[in-house]
Amino acid sequence: MAEKIHEVINRLLTAKTTRFGVPPGTLVEDISSRKAKVTLIKYDQNTYSSEEIADLTKLNDTIANADPVSVSWLDVDTVHDVTTLQSIGEIFKIHPLTLEDIANPHQRPKLEDGDGYLYLVLSAIYLDSKNKEIIKEQISFILAEGLLITFQEKPNEVFNIIRKRLETVKGRLRKMSADYLLYTLLDVVLDNYFIALNYVNEQINHLSARVDKHPDNDTIYEIQELKQELLVITRYILPIREVLWDLMKIDSEIIHESNEIYFKDLSDHVLQINESLEVLKDSLVSLLQYANSIIGNKLNEIMKVLTVVSTVFIPLNFIASIYGMNFHHMPELEYQYGYHAVLAVMSGLGLFMLVYFKVKKWI
Amino acid sequence: MAEKIHEVINRLLTAKTTRFGVPPGTLVEDISSRKAKVTLIKYDQNTYSSEEIADLTKLNDTIANADPVSVSWLDVDTVHDVTTLQSIGEIFKIHPLTLEDIANPHQRPKLEDGDGYLYLVLSAIYLDSKNKEIIKEQISFILAEGLLITFQEKPNEVFNIIRKRLETVKGRLRKMSADYLLYTLLDVVLDNYFIALNYVNEQINHLSARVDKHPDNDTIYEIQELKQELLVITRYILPIREVLWDLMKIDSEIIHESNEIYFKDLSDHVLQINESLEVLKDSLVSLLQYANSIIGNKLNEIMKVLTVVSTVFIPLNFIASIYGMNFHHMPELEYQYGYHAVLAVMSGLGLFMLVYFKVKKWI
Amino acid sequence: MAEKIHEVINRLLTAKTTRFGVPPGTLVEDISSRKAKVTLIKYDQNTYSSEEIADLTKLNDTIANADPVSVSWLDVDTVHDVTTLQSIGEIFKIHPLTLEDIANPHQRPKLEDGDGYLYLVLSAIYLDSKNKEIIKEQISFILAEGLLITFQEKPNEVFNIIRKRLETVKGRLRKMSADYLLYTLLDVVLDNYFIALNYVNEQINHLSARVDKHPDNDTIYEIQELKQELLVITRYILPIREVLWDLMKIDSEIIHESNEIYFKDLSDHVLQINESLEVLKDSLVSLLQYANSIIGNKLNEIMKVLTVVSTVFIPLNFIASIYGMNFHHMPELEYQYGYHAVLAVMSGLGLFMLVYFKVKKWI
Amino acid sequence: MAEKIHEVINRLLTAKTTRFGVPPGTLVEDISSRKAKVTLIKYDQNTYSSEEIADLTKLNDTIANADPVSVSWLDVDTVHDVTTLQSIGEIFKIHPLTLEDIANPHQRPKLEDGDGYLYLVLSAIYLDSKNKEIIKEQISFILAEGLLITFQEKPNEVFNIIRKRLETVKGRLRKMSADYLLYTLLDVVLDNYFIALNYVNEQINHLSARVDKHPDNDTIYEIQELKQELLVITRYILPIREVLWDLMKIDSEIIHESNEIYFKDLSDHVLQINESLEVLKDSLVSLLQYANSIIGNKLNEIMKVLTVVSTVFIPLNFIASIYGMNFHHMPELEYQYGYHAVLAVMSGLGLFMLVYFKVKKWI
Amino acid sequence: MAEKIHEVINRLLTAKTTRFGVPPGTLVEDISSRKAKVTLIKYDQNTYSSEEIADLTKLNDTIANADPVSVSWLDVDTVHDVTTLQSIGEIFKIHPLTLEDIANPHQRPKLEDGDGYLYLVLSAIYLDSKNKEIIKEQISFILAEGLLITFQEKPNEVFNIIRKRLETVKGRLRKMSADYLLYTLLDVVLDNYFIALNYVNEQINHLSARVDKHPDNDTIYEIQELKQELLVITRYILPIREVLWDLMKIDSEIIHESNEIYFKDLSDHVLQINESLEVLKDSLVSLLQYANSIIGNKLNEIMKVLTVVSTVFIPLNFIASIYGMNFHHMPELEYQYGYHAVLAVMSGLGLFMLVYFKVKKWI
């Protein structure tokens, strides 16, 4: 997990520097780029179609022939394919600076009112169920009347659940406009935040058990790392609330007034995520203080053992040493029961000490 | 108590995820659901009736025949019975999203101005007198002219005190409108916060006494847990103030202007609860610091004992060891009073050391 | 002092709960109630009269015959006498909720604009010079044109200084209206805050001296308690500023515009009290950190003594033990000066160690 | 330095209480009062005169004959001479409450718009170069058209530099109005803050060096004291910014609009002082943490020495003690080379232990 | 690095004091001054020229003959050459106070709307790649229609990258107005912040590795220093955001409305830098806590070794000492297998202890 965090910070930092010296509004071709998979889903209350668009020029016809009541959802599964981005930018007349923001996977969440469309970008996190890692990716949305374009940083299955619902359930989602689709996708994004926090909570419980037993350096290290991971997540989630507020206040016909209540609902979810984050962070701080107190108490216990043993035996040993001296004239040595008397004194002294420590609650 | 907190956090987190992938505004049937008990209390200055409504369809007639000056209070004792919720929703024309909020027991406190009614939801806490636990439950209120509907998360006796008062005392409560009933119930909710804090205060006193005597790991653990419980309570109480503010500012005829002073009174109580919470939290932080200082001081005391014993006897033992050597030529061994001289020197040295430590205030 | 604080928190918490289940606006008869002493002082520039009112019905006449230019100051020395409160409430037409606030000695400071009067309540603290305790009491003021009523929580002599000034000095106070009398009394209340803080400052100096000498558990406990006492005082003083601001902004003829400058003056005093509180709190935090550092340094010193003694004597003792072995063939034992050589070696080694520790600055 | 701080807090606190029971607006005659020295400087672009005014009644004539383009600067070198204050108050028609504020050397910085004049009071600090102490004094300014009166708490030479510049340099200062003179004097006050902080910075460097070498109790005490001194200075400087803001916003002809830029400049300086204060405070907090870590590390080092010595010699000593037993039948004792074998074993064991500790990096 | 920070604080503090007593608006001749190198770059879409201006009087002609569509960029490579500053001030009619701000290298970042120009000053930091130091310098910008003047504190190559781009690439930069050039230069400044933070991040990784292995005093010292360096950088970067906000809100024709989006972009970068700073600061705080916990755990480990060795051998040694006593009548000594029995008892006792400690997980 530790490496993950440093990676996150590294990306946060290197994001800007890789663009260093390049004029703004220029798309930088990424080395790891591969052809993006572009999927177009069209639906209304009765019909549903889904096709992968290999040749983007066909998209023009599709858009032109658009049924005014249907909704089109165009999904681009990676932002590292600059050619595809540029083509889509031209077809839908997206501003070059917006395109650059889409391509650069290190934006702060924000909402921009473009010419005929809204541009919304935010950071999603989801739990990689295999590696038990929290993955961060940036998702960009272009919302126009009857059209939603989603740009994912890298291919993943976060939105599959909605695709399946669109295909199988003729419910409310199929009747509503494109902004409702946006709401549904954002809801899935926030659900994934809850899942991730749930996983963090489990980890805290594990760490808590480990602190109880044996608060070693590794445990403390992991608590620190988890705390920092929460800090980074906080930085992802907090600006989303501003974005949702802007979305509700925006004077745009693309967001239907009757749907504003749904975005308010999302805003409440963000608040709730943030409060859970605060509680989790407080848990970790408490856990650290608890671990430190336990370390302190352990030291006390160790020292008590040492002190009891030393304090009991050092004086006894001293007595034995006295009668181990080789003076010619030591009358006690010649007593018939001198040896037994000394043993008795020693036993008495030792017992007395043990009782004393018992009273002091050291043993 | 520790488990309670984690449970609270777990519920906070799982709340959202159980709804995962479900379209908004859909009521999820809870497994633990059982038939809700619905009680209708009708009263005015002179009459009072209370009946359990088994067949909700009868409710329609009751409402239709309502006396314009009387107040109806409909109490639903669990929100996990989806069928009952839906029936009530239809009868009183409550918006599906509001119904969903009522059913989902993990809402942030909020006030919503519905169509002809006000919807208010908040978290109540009360002290389970048997298990000495602080229980949290969500309570929803639907307030309309002459009508108050209360939805409790699970059956409990929090509002019994008001039912008895309505039945037995022909006081102010019987003369006033439905919003005054709401005020009275909210007052009971806040009273229960005071009782819970009172219990926390007692626990702090117990913990304080334990820290004085013996600040072990368990004590520190319980302080941490109590601190976190207070943090969670703070998250419940703080938004209630906003809700009350909204209630006073709202431009709705359902809240009679002459009763606004009572809601202002509640708002003052919330402030006072919050201040008590702050004082209690500060107490716990101080207690922790105090415990850590005591642990540190204890270590010092243990080390003093070890140091005094070691420092006194190690040199004496060394002297004895010298005269325990077996050299053939050790003139002192043959002195008549060599043994006594050495004993005298040892006693002197030991006494000197004790005096030295006495002066240094170590013993 | 520790008990005092817990008492304060207890009262803060129990305040509300004793009223539990009682309809608002009802005066609860206190068990500890006794007949209140009601004193009426009337004065203008030339005349001054003071009488104890035993029969409150006479008050009606006195008020009716009031000289329009004179000021009446009615002082009620305890709020636990419900009968008296109710009589006064009827005579001066005070709202029942206001009366209840007066009777309940755990209000947050606030200002309310009643019908023809202003109601102001705040917490005063004063130093009990005998027991060296900081006592808190609640004082309520009802200000009307030409009339000031003061309600003290329990009988005390805080306002005697003003009574004496009214009686003996024909100064500005005698010429001014009732709101100026209010200002004068509030000024005395704030002066008592300064005196209490002064006492706290002295205590900090005492504690500081004790930390220097011997930072034991008691000292740390008292620092913590004093810190918490300051926190409670902060909660008393801070809302007073809001109250004074409200007083200045209020659109009421009872506060003469020419006297507003005096209330602004009081507001400055509250700021100054608060800043002193902050400095005192910072002092206590520093003192605690200092105490902990001293405890840590003490441990180091103890350990140095132990380490020096052990490190010097353990090797020497080992040498002695070697020559205390009983092997038949140990050539050194038979040397003429073997014993002296060993003693020389031991002395040399011991000296070397002492020099080494001297160089390391451990002794 | 410690005494200085406590003195400051004491004065902060006693300030109010000495006035206890005195009606507001009354000048309290200070015991330590002596006749104030009043100096009048008059200048315009061409002329400059400076005279000490012994008889304040002459001041009336001087003011009456004032040249409309010249500026008069009246400096009163102590506020403890009540008679002088009252005379000046009468001549320049200063409000009694303002006069009281001038006389009471414990005001919060503030700006008041009087009748025909502005009253400004703030706290100056300067470094006493002899005793290396930071001295605080209160300075009051009365600014009217063509007139500036300065009241210093006690005689000092802070403003001498400006007097000399007025006398010798026919620069911008000689051409400008009285508000520019105020700006110049405030600039000197802020310069003295920089000098004092510079001195604090030097002290931090000294303390830092001491912590590196030997972080004893004295060092920690001085760090704490310095931290608190900075807290007190923060309380002096922060309100000055508010005052300067009020000065810029004030709708008064006494502040010429063209000079507002200079007061904005001062406001920037206050910000810069405050930022330096924050950096210095952070330095001290870091220094304390560093000192505590060093104390912890030192303890570790001490314990390592003790542990190494004990762990090496205690087992060796045990072996020697075994062969010091007096059993009749101990075959090893009779071996020809038993003694040498034991010595060899001991050396081997000791060496092994030393190597072990070397590997563990304890020595 | 430690020295660097103290130097920074020193400069922060001495900045103001070196000007002490000097009338405002006066340029102070710096001792370290040398002739500034002044470079004029003129470009439009088609032409580009760059020349070093040795004789500033020629500048007048150049400016007069300025082509209305081209952009002039005048770069002054040091602010310590007062003569050059004054000449430029006269030629471009810059206000004396602005000139003084340019010359004084310790300004807070700010934007001022001058007469026909905008004045912007901020602090840049860049990483000295040779010495691996973070260098701070102040950069001032004077922006007028078609003209940008940059004043660097000392000669460096930060802007070379833009010079090269202007010369070689006929891109957007060559087509845009002077405010776009300002944007490009500010972008480079912020890029350098990212690079510096990147370097800090690397250092944190190095320190983190050192803490894992051996958290000595040096490591802790460097963590503290790095933390403080970040605090200083925060103080540089935060006001830049305000400046950019002012720049966007300013009602000036010099900033073309169509370019405002670029300054908004910069503002986002500042936010991002600040968030990275927060994450880095949190990392360092965590690292310190981690280091302290490790120190505490190390102490526990050391004490365990001491305790185990002492507790095992002290009782064994005591047994040996008993049989080393010289009593005449000690029956055990004469037993045939007494010696072997004692050895067996000792081995058993020692083994038992080791098992006991093994169970307790101390070894």
Side-chain angles (χ1 to χ4, degrees), chain E residues 18 63 125 161 180 199 222 228 235 253 281 342 351:
Chain E
T18 58
I63 301 299
I125 60 169
I161 190 164
Y180 189 83
Y199 170 68
E222 284 181 36
Q228 203 144 12
R235 279 172 220 291
E253 291 180 1
K281 270 188 263 173
V342 163
L351 266 172

Side-chain angles (χ1 to χ4, degrees), chain B residues 161 165 172 180 183-184 187-188 190-192 194-195 197-198 201 204-205 208 212 261-262 264-265 268-269 271-272 274-276 278-280 282-287 289-290 292-294 296-301 303-304 306-307 310-312 314-315 317-319 321-332 353 356-357 360-362, chain C residues 6 9-10 12-17 19-26 95-97 100-101 106-108 110 112 214-218 220-221 224 227-228 231-232 235 239 288 292 294-296 298-299 301-303 305-306 309-310 313-314 316-321 323-327 330 332-340 342-343 346:
Chain B
I161 191 164
R165 209 159 89 202
R172 199 188 312 177
Y180 189 83
Y183 154 74
T184 313
D187 198 39
V188 170
L190 293 185
D191 278 341
N192 275 291
F194 274 108
I195 294 168
L197 291 195
N198 219 4
N201 191 32
I204 292 178
N205 287 351
S208 184
D212 265 343
I261 188 168
Y262 295 106
K264 193 176 177 317
D265 195 45
D268 283 354
H269 290 348
L271 257 189
Q272 220 176 327
N274 195 41
E275 287 184 355
S276 302
E278 291 303 315
V279 171
L280 290 174
D282 286 330
S283 295
L284 285 171
V285 170
S286 291
L287 202 52
Q289 292 180 334
Y290 179 50
N292 278 328
S293 293
I294 284 188
N297 262 333
K298 276 229 162 125
L299 183 59
N300 282 9
E301 227 151 278
M303 295 319 295
K304 274 184 199 165
L306 176 58
T307 304
S310 302
T311 311
V312 169
I314 287 178
N317 200 69
F318 169 61
I319 296 174
S321 296
I322 286 178
Y323 294 107
M325 293 193 293
N326 296 320
F327 285 98
H328 293 185
H329 304 283
M330 290 178 65
E332 297 95 327
M353 300 268 235
Y356 173 79
F357 286 125
K360 269 204 142 180
K361 297 232 168 117
W362 286 19
Chain C
H6 278 124
I9 299 176
N10 280 328
L12 224 98
L13 287 164
T14 49
K16 197 66 219 321
T17 49
R19 258 197 52 222
F20 185 73
V22 174
T26 310
H95 192 282
L97 266 181
E100 194 204 0
D101 282 355
H106 304 284
Q107 299 295 318
R108 279 196 92 230
K110 65 177 171 184
E112 275 179 7
H214 194 59
D216 57 5
N217 289 347
D218 281 358
I220 286 160
Y221 185 69
Q224 296 281 17
K227 211 175 75 191
Q228 204 146 9
L231 285 171
V232 172
R235 279 173 222 290
L288 259 180
N292 278 327
I294 284 188
I295 290 172
K298 276 230 161 122
L299 183 60
E301 226 151 279
I302 294 169
M303 294 320 294
V305 171
L306 176 59
V309 170
S310 301
F313 284 104
I314 286 177
L316 299 186
N317 200 69
F318 170 61
I319 296 174
S321 296
Y323 294 107
M325 293 194 291
N326 297 319
F327 285 100
M330 290 177 66
E332 297 96 326
L333 297 183
E334 284 148 42
Y335 294 171
Q336 179 68 28
Y337 295 106
Y339 172 54
H340 303 91
V342 164
L343 282 189
M346 284 175 173

